[in-house]
Amino acid sequence: MSTQPSSEVQSVNGFDSPSDALAYIHSPVVQGLERVKTSLRDMVNHKSPFLAQLLDHALETKGKRVRPTLTLLAAGFHPNDGKRAETMATAVELLHIASLIHDDTVDQSEVRRGRATISKVWGGNAAVVLGDYLFATSATYVCDTGNIRVIRRFAETIKELSSGEMEEMVVRYDAEQSREQYFTRIYEKTASLFTTATESGAVLSDAPESTVKLLRDYGYSLGMAFQIVDDILDVEGLTDEIGKPVGNDLRHGVLTLPMILALERWPDSTVIRDYFAEPSDETLLESAMELISDPKVITDSYAVAEQYCQSARDSIMELPKNRSRDSLEALIDYVVVRRS
Ligand code: FPP
Ligand code: MG
């Protein structure tokens, strides 16, 4: 798909809506996902009432559960009892939730998934410590898999998440970044965990190395497409859809693909650079937002996401066709048409 999905387009390859597509994607691993949810819910019963309250807020979210779904689906290409993949899927989801809590604290974001952030309600200090608690808990789940390769990869992912976040801080309000710098940043920030989610599922199912590689490559490409679409939705989505304010990236000086493509397409336009030099100027912000919302920029941005989607498709086409593969395939289309 190289065309831009408009907000009216709600069908995904035969499904009536993105949520129907998501239900189809989840269906082969719905029991595993239910057990992940139960593990998260059980964590809320903590002896400290304050921590229990924070855990309740953090873990009772209506997320799409994309990352644990990837781990569970990736374990579906080699016979196994599924238990280690479920343990890993719990770790992956906890790591994701923890990193968002830290991200919202760093960014001073007030709303996530349509709800107040932990840092907004309980303050930055409590949010940082809660994030640490969840990171540490995720690590105990990974250790429970007993697989050193997966434990190492998980630790490397935390390093990549942190270095991606750090890089984003350093390059704020810098309009001179290349596409390559952007791709490295979104790999670290997002695709790294997607890669780990699929790779670990495959490793823990004892799949052969050739299968592990295909699923790792799929996770990488899907993660890149996912973050590019996230960055597009920040420009052309609606606040009610994405559950957080639109235009956040531009407002905070985070250079994303739509901005890079607008700068490439109109090298003589100075609005983005002018806004980055004068971030308190709301008129410049509006002009820059208008430039990057241009349909040509949005279409070009979706075309780049589609290249990653095609790589993801190429990777899984070499896997045996089964229900897990069907879901992984549907997930590629879902990532592009989703509105949240
Ligand atoms: C959200 O992306 C941010 C991330 C996926 C990564 C955040 C990583 C950290 C805060 C580092 C983690 C720290 C430790 C100790 C492991 P985004 O900002 O593009 O998305 P958003 O617009 O939804 O906030
Ligand atoms: Mg953020």
Side-chain angles (χ1 to χ4, degrees):
M1 188 189 310
S2 56
T3 51
Q4 164 213 349
S6 79
S7 49
E8 292 90 51
V9 175
Q10 290 293 313
S11 74
V12 196
N13 281 359
F15 298 101
D16 287 342
S17 67
S19 62
D20 281 0
L22 200 55
Y24 171 81
I25 290 159
H26 285 158
S27 63
V29 292
V30 82
Q31 286 174 344
L33 281 175
E34 211 38 59
R35 280 191 279 271
V36 170
K37 209 168 137 191
T38 305
S39 298
L40 299 189
R41 209 180 308 114
D42 288 350
M43 281 176 63
V44 175
N45 296 321
H46 196 278
K47 62 180 187 307
S48 154
F50 182 56
L51 185 49
Q53 192 183 11
L54 267 63
L55 287 167
D56 185 43
H57 188 91
L59 300 175
E60 281 300 315
T61 62
K62 295 203 170 21
K64 301 178 286 292
R65 309 277 191 228
V66 170
R67 294 157 188 82
T69 301
L70 285 172
T71 302
L72 297 171
L73 290 171
F77 296 89
H78 197 258
N80 69 104
D81 69 9
K83 288 210 167 57
R84 290 192 305 164
E86 279 169 22
T87 305
M88 187 65 200
T90 308
V92 162
E93 182 66 356
L94 278 174
L95 175 56
H96 173 58
I97 294 170
S99 69
L100 291 183
I101 292 171
H102 275 188
D103 183 56
D104 288 336
T105 310
V106 170
D107 290 348
Q108 300 181 331
S109 303
E110 299 193 347
V111 181
R112 159 92 55 195
R113 293 169 176 166
R115 302 162 74 224
T117 57
I118 299 278
S119 51
K120 169 72 183 163
V121 181
W122 288 281
N125 292 349
V128 168
V129 178
L130 178 69
D132 291 346
Y133 181 87
L134 293 173
F135 279 125
T137 310
S138 70
T140 66
Y141 275 95
V142 188
C143 290
D144 286 344
T145 68
N147 185 298
I148 289 289
R149 173 177 175 183
V150 163
I151 294 169
R152 168 170 279 277
R153 182 60 208 136
F154 193 77
E156 284 168 359
T157 303
I158 297 179
K159 283 169 69 180
E160 284 170 340
L161 282 170
S162 306
S163 89
E165 183 82 357
M166 194 68 85
E167 178 66 9
E168 191 171 290
M169 284 181 200
V170 171
V171 296
R172 269 180 202 217
Y173 299 106
D174 175 1
E176 310 310 324
Q177 298 161 65
S178 63
R179 280 194 201 205
E180 282 60 40
Q181 280 173 286
Y182 166 77
F183 290 137
T184 302
R185 184 154 44 84
I186 67 168
Y187 163 71
E188 293 192 317
K189 191 168 78 163
T190 301
S192 169
L193 184 53
F194 274 67
T195 310
T196 298
T198 50
E199 178 177 353
S200 61
V203 167
L204 294 171
S205 73
D206 294 322
E209 204 49 43
S210 54
T211 302
V212 173
K213 183 182 180 328
L214 291 170
L215 285 158
R216 183 177 57 222
D217 291 350
Y218 165 90
Y220 165 80
S221 303
L222 189 81
M224 296 296 282
F226 187 93
Q227 186 58 47
I228 291 170
V229 172
D230 231 50
D231 293 344
I232 299 170
L233 289 175
D234 192 72
V235 176
E236 59 115 34
L238 303 172
T239 296
D240 279 354
E241 291 174 331
I242 65 174
K244 56 191 176 186
V246 285
N248 242 351
D249 292 329
L250 182 64
R251 184 176 284 278
H252 293 110
V254 177
L255 195 77
T256 61
L257 189 66
M259 300 172 214
I260 293 172
L261 297 186
L263 285 162
E264 285 177 9
R265 184 178 273 276
W266 297 292
D268 295 336
S269 167
T270 60
V271 280
I272 296 175
R273 287 187 180 87
D274 290 349
Y275 171 65
F276 278 6
E278 203 65 63
S280 58
D281 190 326
E282 290 287 323
T283 312
L284 280 174
L285 173 64
E286 259 178 53
S287 308
M289 196 66 191
E290 205 175 303
L291 187 80
I292 65 174
S293 310
D294 188 292
K296 291 194 269 304
V297 170
I298 301 299
T299 302
D300 288 353
S301 302
Y302 271 114
V304 177
E306 175 53 29
Q307 287 169 11
Y308 282 105
C309 287
Q310 192 50 49
S311 300
R313 263 180 224 111
D314 292 345
S315 295
I316 55 162
M317 282 312 136
E318 293 181 44
L319 291 170
K321 184 159 169 52
N322 64 15
R323 188 59 188 77
S324 292
R325 198 185 95 171
D326 290 344
S327 276
L328 291 175
E329 230 181 302
L331 193 46
I332 300 171
D333 297 325
Y334 170 79
V335 157
V336 179
V337 299
R338 76 199 166 91
R339 303 296 304 169
S340 66

